[in-house]
Amino acid sequence: MMKGHLEKPLLYLTEMSEEVAIVASETTKFTRNDLSIYELACDPCRKIFRKTNLDRNDIDSVVLSTCSTLQYTSSIVSEMLGLKPKNSFRIDNLCSSGTSAIISTYAEIAAGLCDCALVIGAESGTNYAAKRLQWDLTRGSFNLPIHWASLFARTHMRKFGTTEEQMASVSVKNHRNSSKNPLALFRNKVTIEDVMKSRKISDPIKMLDCSYVCTGSSCILLASKMKAKELTDNPVWISGIGQKTICASLSHLLSRGKIGLESTQEAAREAYKMARTNPQDIDVVELHDAFTIMEIMAYEDLFFTSKGEGGKFVEQEQVSVNPRGGLLGCGHPIGCTGVAQTAEIAAQLAGRAGKTQIKGCKTGLIHNMAAAGSSSSVIILRS
Amino acid sequence: MMKGHLEKPLLYLTEMSEEVAIVASETTKFTRNDLSIYELACDPCRKIFRKTNLDRNDIDSVVLSTCSTLQYTSSIVSEMLGLKPKNSFRIDNLCSSGTSAIISTYAEIAAGLCDCALVIGAESGTNYAAKRLQWDLTRGSFNLPIHWASLFARTHMRKFGTTEEQMASVSVKNHRNSSKNPLALFRNKVTIEDVMKSRKISDPIKMLDCSYVCTGSSCILLASKMKAKELTDNPVWISGIGQKTICASLSHLLSRGKIGLESTQEAAREAYKMARTNPQDIDVVELHDAFTIMEIMAYEDLFFTSKGEGGKFVEQEQVSVNPRGGLLGCGHPIGCTGVAQTAEIAAQLAGRAGKTQIKGCKTGLIHNMAAAGSSSSVIILRS
């Protein structure tokens, strides 16, 4: 079998692909508060301990995703939680940190190095280190994420006729969803008119086209097949993983002349292949709507619709997109986001999503990306 | 087979254990310079590209180990190197960062998520963030690593009769080794008298009992069995991995009342078991000699000698310890150290260690730890 693995990795991957389960997930209420990264990280874990029959000695891996500049955070959080895992480390990869941490932990379990792992995402909105793209010196002072969003939006409008109203309708939908989500930062509904009249920040991007970098934390409990059976009769399986890093800088990305999230396309292709599924089979999605235009582009680059058709796809009902409210409605605690997205899809597929529950969903997808889509990851789950 | 894996994880691990190879490794000269983390990280990778017939498109994973507080570093380094990997992220875990990055990457390859990975360690000695144990508030202002080293040394002396001269002889040996290593920060030999007369910093620890936090970088190229065969006829195999995180703070560690590096013992037991080997079979070791007392304690906790006998073990010749000069001779670029230790043992086993080469070594061990041994990792390699 190992020989087969090495000669035909994708075939082997497909066989391996459902050996790791999400057993539990918890997310805190997203806020504008300035909280300790340690308390933020511990909070959803303690909720998991209260709700499951997990023995703390069972946890043999703790991976923390955060852009905080503090050191040794994952071991400190382990000590605060009374855990003595084998491995414990922190991952940073900007907005993609959370899914990088999940994929890394999936690998540790699939490789047999551990059996039962906490993946924690935690961020304080007061962490300014992650808010600017400081490495991309060619952009001069235009180094805030909104600058690449406005370039993407203008290009999409010019090339495909996408309208500001279509972008606004993404915000309307995601705020409508987050109004039902007790953990969301924004509980208010908004109208197309509200979005169109909100303050213009970097044309054509207006205030209500933007997500808000906030404070929050989330945790998922991952386990091997055997361990998952001990812990739950309702596991959710990781069935597909795809990742791609094209570059780090917007200037480099633009120089490639592609209209769309190339890294998302590559990650999605890989994930669908590993999960032996396709976009038509996906029931529920959390995608990275840092700005409304990014949701429209993600529709296309995750292959839910054709290139250029994203603007018209907003009102479709074939797949539920961002049922918790996405980043636009929930807020965007950077290093936490990928974990919170995955926690939501796992909860949806396990039928424990509460007020945001989509009925009858069986296959879900998480799309996360960083820095103008210079890197992306896609994870597919099934119940 | 998967069922066997889940019911008997260690048996399966042993079968899996030699599926990942180190194909190449390079380390820069360690200095006191204030260098860019990006340039530091790229430098050893470029050396690997020059020396191997590696196509840059083959690299499908880049993991960077550093305590630098900069964001998205791994993707920036990938862009600078012209790489477009699937995954790319940064790991921090203080002194243990480097081995955490290697073990995480091992898992990604063993799980079939990637085939060919660069693990890079890079640190500038001017990064002060990692030099103090700032989370351990119970220690008040005694939060420099030397404070725990002096507690360990005093305890070992009182309990086992270990002498300051025995500690000094560790420094003499490691400086003798580093005098032959062109990449080492310290090329000068020292005598027992030099060490004993060097400035006392925190009794009984003197200047020459301490490693020096410096600037440096290192890279290893990891590959799956099939890919390794394409790239080299001289692979070194990862045959054992062990990890343990006991806590994060010295106060918590001391409260356990154990004399020794408990996390090192647990990690070593696990690594020997996975590699189906034992301390008597190890030919060459890089261990974490941040202070001379730590090398003496590591002899015991890696089971090369009995508890309390470490002081007498310094002059033995059964196993070559820290042939490149260890942290005491080479310097200690924090997030780089675990990668540089592994690069050295891989080079030793491949017979390309140059002036520090130990003849005929076939099995090697890397011991790394962080924050007073609150966490440890052990990796066993074989040629």
Side-chain angles (χ1 to χ4, degrees):
Chain A
M1 185 169 173
M2 285 315 299
K3 199 157 183 294
H5 154 51
L6 295 165
E7 285 167 12
K8 296 179 182 171
L10 272 163
L11 195 65
Y12 183 76
L13 272 178
T14 310
E15 289 168 21
M16 285 284 286
S17 64
E18 299 187 351
E19 292 300 321
V20 179
I22 299 177
V23 167
S25 60
E26 290 292 337
T27 299
T28 60
K29 179 154 177 50
F30 290 2
T31 67
R32 295 169 198 257
N33 299 339
D34 178 15
L35 298 176
S36 142
I37 204 76
Y38 307 127
E39 284 303 333
L40 277 166
C42 289
D43 199 18
C45 303
R46 291 191 182 113
K47 279 189 190 130
I48 285 180
F49 289 128
R50 280 197 298 272
K51 287 190 183 177
T52 60
N53 58 348
L54 187 65
D55 182 329
R56 293 191 183 206
N57 293 321
D58 285 345
I59 302 288
D60 53 13
S61 172
V62 174
V63 177
L64 176 61
S65 161
T66 179
C67 299
S68 157
T69 58
L70 293 169
Q71 306 283 323
Y72 211 45
T73 39
S74 144
S75 297
I76 297 168
V77 168
S78 295
E79 177 176 323
M80 288 173 72
L81 290 169
L83 303 175
K84 295 180 179 56
K86 290 178 184 172
N87 71 316
S88 158
F89 56 82
R90 195 263 293 209
I91 278 183
D92 114 69
N93 194 25
L94 274 185
C95 303
S96 281
S97 305
T99 39
S100 288
I102 292 166
I103 295 168
S104 172
T105 307
Y106 165 92
E108 299 223 9
I109 295 175
L113 292 181
C114 63
D115 264 332
C116 191
L118 289 177
V119 184
I120 312 167
E123 204 75 74
S124 176
T126 54
N127 170 20
Y128 289 97
K131 288 186 183 174
R132 282 180 185 267
L133 312 175
Q134 286 176 320
W135 62 88
D136 195 2
L137 303 175
T138 56
R139 305 295 315 153
S141 60
F142 299 101
N143 59 7
L144 285 166
I146 197 167
H147 296 124
W148 51 257
S150 69
L151 286 171
F152 283 146
R154 275 276 161 232
T155 308
H156 214 273
M157 290 166 74
R158 188 174 63 241
K159 179 93 180 172
F160 303 118
T162 302
T163 66
E164 293 186 50
E165 286 77 6
Q166 286 171 333
M167 291 188 246
S169 66
V170 171
S171 185
V172 171
K173 170 181 74 69
N174 290 354
H175 279 84
R176 187 169 62 231
N177 290 348
S178 71
S179 73
K180 288 179 267 177
N181 178 358
L183 303 176
L185 180 61
F186 299 111
R187 302 294 307 277
N188 58 308
K189 291 183 186 173
V190 300
T191 63
I192 298 275
E193 195 180 22
D194 291 335
V195 183
M196 295 299 288
K197 285 191 173 167
S198 65
R199 185 158 64 91
K200 195 161 277 187
I201 301 178
S202 179
D203 188 58
I205 309 287
K206 295 165 281 290
M207 183 74 92
L208 286 172
D209 287 308
C210 306
S211 62
Y212 183 87
V213 174
C214 72
T215 297
S217 56
S218 187
C219 178
I220 66 172
L221 178 63
L222 286 177
S224 65
K225 185 179 274 187
M226 189 179 70
K227 193 76 201 165
K229 283 180 184 167
E230 281 177 30
L231 293 169
T232 181
D233 51 11
N234 195 14
V236 171
W237 300 96
I238 296 181
S239 65
I241 289 173
Q243 302 176 89
K244 188 66 187 178
T245 305
I246 300 285
C247 57
S249 63
L250 180 60
S251 50
H252 192 89
L253 201 66
L254 293 176
S255 73
R256 295 174 66 83
K258 306 276 171 78
I259 300 172
L261 305 166
E262 197 184 345
S263 65
T264 295
Q265 290 177 11
E266 291 209 30
R269 270 191 210 102
E270 195 183 346
Y272 289 130
K273 191 172 176 182
M274 177 170 161
R276 298 202 225 191
T277 187
N278 60 63
Q280 288 69 48
D281 289 335
I282 304 294
D283 302 313
V284 59
V285 172
E286 277 286 330
L287 60 77
H288 195 278
D289 57 329
F291 301 94
T292 52
I293 185 62
M294 306 316 286
E295 175 154 336
I296 287 173
M297 290 171 74
Y299 294 151
E300 301 167 0
D301 297 322
L302 293 167
F303 308 110
F304 291 121
T305 188
S306 313
K307 179 54 67 188
E309 300 294 310
K312 298 172 197 149
F313 193 76
V314 186
E315 298 301 340
Q316 60 77 40
E317 292 184 347
Q318 77 177 58
V319 54
S320 298
V321 179
N322 291 331
R324 71 179 179 128
L327 283 57
L328 288 164
C330 290
H332 179 22
I334 298 176
C336 162
T337 284
V339 182
Q341 291 178 306
T342 308
E344 170 71 11
I345 297 297
Q348 289 286 350
L349 300 182
R352 50 176 176 74
K355 292 178 180 170
T356 64
Q357 183 69 48
I358 306 297
K359 278 187 190 156
C361 55
K362 293 186 171 167
T363 306
L365 181 147
I366 299 103
H367 162 252
N368 194 9
M369 57 168 208
S374 52
S375 70
S376 293
S377 40
V378 171
I379 300 174
I380 295 174
L381 306 181
R382 70 162 186 87
S383 59
Chain B
M1 185 168 175
M2 284 317 299
K3 196 154 185 296
H5 154 53
L6 295 164
E7 283 167 16
K8 296 180 183 171
L10 272 163
L11 195 64
Y12 182 75
L13 272 179
T14 312
E15 289 167 21
M16 285 284 287
S17 65
E18 300 188 351
E19 293 300 320
V20 179
I22 299 177
V23 167
S25 60
E26 290 292 336
T27 299
T28 59
K29 179 153 177 49
F30 289 2
T31 68
R32 296 171 198 256
N33 300 338
D34 179 14
L35 298 177
S36 141
I37 205 76
Y38 308 127
E39 284 303 333
L40 277 165
C42 289
D43 199 18
C45 304
R46 292 192 181 112
K47 279 190 191 129
I48 285 179
F49 289 128
R50 281 198 297 272
K51 287 191 184 176
T52 60
N53 58 350
L54 187 65
D55 182 328
R56 293 190 183 205
N57 293 321
D58 285 344
I59 302 289
D60 54 12
S61 172
V62 174
V63 177
L64 176 61
S65 160
T66 179
C67 299
S68 157
T69 58
L70 293 170
Q71 306 283 324
Y72 211 45
T73 38
S74 148
S75 297
I76 297 169
V77 167
S78 294
E79 177 174 324
M80 289 173 72
L81 290 169
L83 303 175
K84 295 179 179 56
K86 289 179 185 171
N87 72 316
S88 157
F89 57 82
R90 195 263 294 207
I91 278 182
D92 114 71
N93 194 25
L94 275 185
C95 303
S96 282
S97 304
T99 39
S100 288
I102 292 166
I103 294 167
S104 172
T105 307
Y106 164 92
E108 300 225 8
I109 295 175
L113 292 180
C114 62
D115 263 331
C116 191
L118 289 177
V119 184
I120 312 168
E123 204 75 74
S124 175
T126 54
N127 170 20
Y128 289 97
K131 289 186 184 175
R132 282 181 184 267
L133 312 175
Q134 286 176 320
W135 64 87
D136 194 1
L137 303 175
T138 55
R139 301 299 313 154
S141 60
F142 298 101
N143 59 6
L144 286 167
I146 197 166
H147 295 126
W148 51 258
S150 70
L151 285 169
F152 283 146
R154 274 275 160 233
T155 308
H156 214 272
M157 290 167 75
R158 187 175 61 242
K159 180 92 182 173
F160 303 119
T162 302
T163 65
E164 294 186 49
E165 287 78 6
Q166 286 172 332
M167 291 187 245
S169 65
V170 171
S171 184
V172 171
K173 170 181 74 67
N174 290 354
H175 279 84
R176 187 168 64 232
N177 290 350
S178 71
S179 74
K180 288 179 269 177
N181 178 358
L183 303 175
L185 180 61
F186 300 111
R187 303 293 308 277
N188 58 307
K189 291 182 184 173
V190 300
T191 64
I192 297 275
E193 196 179 19
D194 291 334
V195 184
M196 295 298 289
K197 286 191 174 167
S198 65
R199 183 158 64 91
K200 195 162 277 190
I201 301 179
S202 179
D203 188 58
I205 308 288
K206 295 166 282 291
M207 182 75 93
L208 286 173
D209 287 307
C210 305
S211 63
Y212 182 87
V213 173
C214 73
T215 297
S217 57
S218 187
C219 178
I220 66 171
L221 178 64
L222 285 177
S224 65
K225 187 179 271 186
M226 190 178 68
K227 193 75 202 166
K229 283 180 183 166
E230 282 176 29
L231 294 169
T232 182
D233 51 9
N234 194 15
V236 171
W237 300 97
I238 295 180
S239 65
I241 289 173
Q243 302 176 90
K244 188 67 188 180
T245 305
I246 300 286
C247 57
S249 64
L250 180 61
S251 51
H252 192 89
L253 201 66
L254 292 176
S255 73
R256 295 173 65 84
K258 306 275 171 78
I259 299 173
L261 304 166
E262 197 184 345
S263 64
T264 295
Q265 289 177 12
E266 292 209 30
R269 271 190 210 103
E270 196 184 344
Y272 289 131
K273 191 170 177 182
M274 176 170 162
R276 299 201 223 193
T277 187
N278 61 60
Q280 287 68 49
D281 289 335
I282 304 294
D283 302 313
V284 60
V285 172
E286 277 286 331
L287 61 77
H288 196 278
D289 56 328
F291 301 94
T292 52
I293 185 63
M294 304 317 286
E295 176 154 334
I296 286 172
M297 290 170 74
Y299 294 151
E300 301 167 359
D301 298 321
L302 294 168
F303 308 110
F304 291 121
T305 189
S306 313
K307 180 54 65 191
E309 299 294 311
K312 297 172 198 149
F313 193 77
V314 187
E315 300 300 340
Q316 60 77 38
E317 293 185 346
Q318 77 179 57
V319 53
S320 297
V321 178
N322 289 333
R324 69 177 180 128
L327 282 57
L328 288 164
C330 290
H332 179 21
I334 299 177
C336 162
T337 284
V339 182
Q341 290 178 306
T342 307
E344 171 70 11
I345 297 298
Q348 288 286 350
L349 299 182
R352 51 177 175 75
K355 291 178 180 170
T356 64
Q357 183 68 49
I358 306 298
K359 278 186 190 157
C361 55
K362 291 185 173 167
T363 307
L365 182 147
I366 298 102
H367 162 251
N368 194 9
M369 57 169 208
S374 52
S375 70
S376 293
S377 40
V378 171
I379 300 174
I380 296 175
L381 306 181
R382 71 163 187 86
S383 58

